Amino acid sequence: MDFPLLVTEAVKDQADPNMIVVAITGMIIVFAALLILTLFLTALPKILDVFNEYFPPSEHGHSAAPVAKQAVLDEDLVAAMAIALIHHRSD
Amino acid sequence: MDTMIEFLGTTGFAHMQWGNALMIAIGIIFIALAIVKDYEPLLLLPIGFGAIVGNIPTAVDMSLSVYDEGTVLNYLYWGVQQGVYPPLIFLGIGAMTDFSAMLSNPKLILLGAAAQIGIFLTLIGAYYLGFTPKEAGAIAIIGGADGPTAIFLSSRLAPELLGAIAIAAYSYMALVPVIQPPIMKLLTSREERLIRMAPPRVVSQRERIVFPVVAFLICALIAPGSLVLVGMLFFGNLLKESGVTERLANTARTSMIDIVTILLGFCVGASTQAKTFLRPDSIKIFALGALSFAVATAGGVLFAKFMNLFLKDKINPLLGAAGVSAVPDSARVVQMVGQKEDPQNYLLMHAMTPNVAGVIGSAVAAGVLWAVLTKTV
């Protein structure tokens, strides 16, 4: 039996299945799936609260691309660039 | 001169019949609706042009159509016939859908379940109108207002009706702003339409990562027939939410879904040849599709009102109309109808919950119908 008994019985007569039973059972299955999903999602924050106590979210997750470290500029280089900029503007 | 006459005999003009001309006109109307009215342009334009291509009559010994084995169009149509394109579209939808609204207010998911009543009532109606059980199942899924799901199920259960079902499904999806508002207004009072929803809570990344895996397990274990569609939907969403496969998610929600949409829309349009499409059954399919869509909308709205009998914080019943899975059109319609009563009432984000729940619900319904009706004659 690979499907709920009611549906299997409903389609027993392959040429003239009981479509009302198929429709009602189908609707119940759809509702059941989404109801379970609703219940799970309602409970999920509480489940994760408990989970987070033991496994706190990592600050170094994969979600963000690593930010490139800002290059540390040599002080002499900064001074040279500043002088060049001043000369450029005075020209 | 004989060569000239012989050539003229091979032109499309020589073989044109009124049915071809009508289908070409319908194709042009689809293109016009897409361009002028902006009705589902990504779908109606490829379908419309496909309908024109598919209805150019050719000489008997020229094999060119989607139904002629070995032709280019036939190879492209293979993806429709075998149900390859719809799951790929679901992958893209999953990769572009943000389920945060659903995670923040899960009770609205039930509205997406209620709207599936359109599918199952139409199943009964189609069967008693003389369609076979398999055909009835394929027609009924139009009520899910989900084009890829409708194509997937009809390719499995009733390939001979695929063109009519796909055109009906996409037509009604495009006509969401026309079909739904009168039903929504008829079934709700002004006070109900004015109900404001509490702002959604912030959802953690862990919730968003756990959701696709668990939701897939729930849906697929309850209705294994939905495995392909919901599997691809949630796989796409996991690619998006995991944060480590951004490139894959980006491809799925942009290039891939665009390519598949082009192929699917064009091939479905090209399959609407007059001789296979213009049949009395097609008119019945369109009528049943409209009924299915209207019942689905009404089912969602009425179920929201039913839930309000038990809830302290009332739901705006307009949200129920978004339970049909035309994403995001029906959610936009909810926003539009709600704002006509109160311009400061923002329902769009809340409406996305029943809307995406409708996608899941119609995929599960398709899985159930496939599993059950495939055993029938």
Side-chain angles (χ1 to χ4, degrees):
Chain A
M1 194 74 62
D2 57 353
F3 219 78
L5 181 64
L6 203 58
V7 185
T8 311
E9 284 297 314
V11 294
K12 211 172 181 179
D13 182 352
Q14 295 181 345
D16 186 21
N18 188 339
M19 293 299 257
I20 294 173
V21 173
V22 171
I24 292 170
T25 317
M27 195 67 205
I28 290 170
I29 292 170
V30 171
F31 245 100
L34 292 183
L35 181 65
I36 294 170
L37 191 59
T38 304
L39 295 174
F40 170 74
L41 292 182
T42 306
L44 184 59
K46 287 166 196 157
I47 296 169
L48 284 179
D49 280 348
V50 176
F51 185 80
N52 288 343
E53 276 184 28
Y54 297 98
F55 303 98
S58 165
E59 287 179 13
H60 303 287
H62 295 284
S63 57
V67 178
K69 282 186 183 171
Q70 200 161 6
V72 179
L73 293 176
D74 186 77
E75 281 183 14
D76 292 341
L77 182 63
V78 173
M81 284 167 67
I83 290 167
L85 197 63
I86 289 165
H87 281 296
H88 175 71
R89 284 186 178 163
S90 63
D91 289 341
Chain B
M1 192 64 187
D2 286 348
T3 310
M4 191 63 179
I5 290 169
E6 201 175 306
F7 169 73
L8 286 175
T10 66
T11 64
F13 293 110
H15 298 274
M16 181 71 74
Q17 293 181 344
W18 71 269
N20 297 117
L22 179 64
M23 290 307 299
I24 289 172
I26 290 173
I28 291 170
I29 290 170
F30 274 26
I31 293 171
L33 283 174
I35 296 170
V36 180
K37 292 280 184 183
D38 205 28
Y39 284 167
E40 292 276 352
L42 301 182
L43 298 168
L44 286 192
L45 203 142
I47 290 176
F49 199 80
I52 296 172
V53 170
N55 280 283
I56 299 295
T58 54
V60 181
D61 54 348
M62 287 175 79
S63 300
L64 292 169
S65 85
V66 294
Y67 299 111
D68 295 324
E69 289 225 358
T71 64
V72 175
L73 291 180
N74 181 252
Y75 280 117
L76 297 178
Y77 190 60
W78 176 86
V80 178
Q81 276 180 315
Q82 299 302 318
V84 174
Y85 298 149
L88 293 176
I89 289 205
F90 264 61
L91 180 72
I93 292 171
M96 66 172 71
T97 303
D98 184 352
F99 285 96
S100 298
M102 176 185 276
L103 291 161
S104 78
N105 195 357
K107 64 176 177 288
L108 295 181
I109 292 173
L110 295 177
L111 300 177
Q116 307 314 315
I117 195 166
I119 293 175
F120 293 103
L121 285 182
T122 309
L123 175 72
I124 298 169
Y127 182 63
Y128 287 108
L129 270 176
F131 288 99
T132 67
K134 283 181 180 171
E135 289 172 343
I139 294 165
I141 204 72
I142 297 172
D146 194 334
T149 307
I151 289 169
F152 180 79
L153 190 64
S154 51
S155 71
R156 308 288 87 195
L157 291 180
E160 70 281 4
L161 299 180
L162 200 150
I165 288 171
I167 296 288
Y170 280 120
S171 302
Y172 293 131
M173 281 168 70
L175 292 173
V176 161
V178 179
I179 297 172
Q180 287 200 307
I183 300 166
M184 293 157 76
K185 285 180 185 164
L186 186 71
L187 296 175
T188 54
S189 65
R190 185 168 187 275
E191 288 69 34
E192 287 174 323
R193 292 196 290 273
L194 286 171
I195 294 174
R196 289 192 179 191
M197 303 292 293
R201 68 175 174 84
V202 177
V203 175
S204 71
Q205 194 194 9
R206 278 195 171 173
E207 279 179 84
R208 283 182 278 138
I209 291 174
V210 170
F211 167 72
V213 178
V214 177
F216 167 69
L217 287 172
I218 292 170
C219 296
L221 288 173
I222 290 178
S226 66
L227 188 145
V228 182
L229 291 176
V230 295
M232 294 302 259
L233 178 77
F234 289 125
F235 173 50
N237 190 246
L238 186 61
L239 290 179
K240 172 181 181 286
E241 299 297 354
S242 68
V244 291
T245 51
E246 190 49 37
R247 271 175 50 200
L248 303 187
N250 201 36
T251 302
R253 67 173 162 251
T254 54
S255 319
M256 201 201 69
I257 197 169
D258 288 347
I259 291 167
V260 181
T261 301
I262 291 168
L263 292 173
L264 183 68
F266 182 80
C267 290
V268 164
S271 72
T272 61
Q273 289 182 351
K275 63 184 175 195
T276 58
F277 189 78
L278 293 178
R279 298 185 304 182
D281 278 355
S282 297
I283 296 168
K284 282 190 203 168
I285 290 169
F286 270 77
L288 283 164
L291 179 74
S292 182
F293 203 80
V295 172
T297 304
V301 173
L302 291 174
F303 194 76
K305 288 165 74 105
F306 175 72
M307 284 173 75
N308 278 345
L309 297 175
F310 309 97
L311 292 172
K312 202 170 78 179
D313 297 324
K314 305 292 183 201
I315 297 169
N316 188 319
L318 293 177
L319 296 178
V324 299
S325 45
V327 179
D329 306 68
S330 51
R332 274 200 221 122
V333 168
V334 170
Q335 165 82 355
M336 185 187 76
V337 176
Q339 285 202 323
K340 271 191 182 162
E341 301 292 348
D342 175 6
Q344 300 303 312
N345 196 1
Y346 298 98
L347 295 171
L348 184 65
M349 192 183 287
H350 304 285
M352 284 308 291
T353 299
N355 213 183
V356 290
V359 175
I360 300 168
S362 58
V364 172
V368 172
L369 292 174
W370 184 22
V372 174
L373 297 176
T374 199
K375 294 170 185 163
T376 62
V377 176

